[in-house]
Amino acid sequence: MITSIQAVHFDASQQLQEFVEKKVSKLEKLCDESATLEVSMKLIKPETAMNKEVSLNLGDIFVSKVADKFEDALLDCIDALKAKIEKNKEKMAKMLLTLFSSFRLLM
């Protein structure tokens, strides 16, 4: 999986980038090797609480979360992305099953 990390309105520390890479690497089990994951971290308003937004874009699957810390928002995004990936896999399995059932009836 190819991962790109973008920090908007701030400079991401090396420690934060390593944390992101470590956590998103676990998503490789659920995705194709050719998949591209875009991680965007945005500082909304510097002086307010809940001002850190993280969004993950994996092909046609997009999730975005806001939290006090980038790490917390990232973990929430990963959980939401995993759920969406599983939901898409189940949906595709049902579609394939229906397709194969229809094909058998035609033969």
Side-chain angles (χ1 to χ4, degrees), residues 43-100:
L43 188 60
I44 300 170
K45 291 183 181 179
E47 289 95 29
T48 62
M50 301 293 284
N51 65 342
K52 284 132 183 120
E53 178 181 17
V54 174
S55 59
L56 302 179
N57 189 359
L58 181 66
D60 60 344
I61 304 172
F62 178 81
V63 294
S64 180
K65 300 291 179 183
V66 177
D68 278 331
K69 296 181 181 179
F70 284 113
E71 293 86 351
D72 293 339
L74 176 69
L75 293 174
D76 291 344
C77 277
I78 289 172
D79 290 341
L81 188 65
K82 284 180 183 178
K84 282 191 171 189
I85 290 171
E86 290 299 323
K87 185 176 179 179
N88 279 358
K89 284 185 178 183
E90 290 172 8
K91 184 178 177 182
M92 289 299 290
K94 283 183 180 180
M95 287 175 56
L96 286 174
L97 184 62
T98 303
L99 179 66
F100 287 133

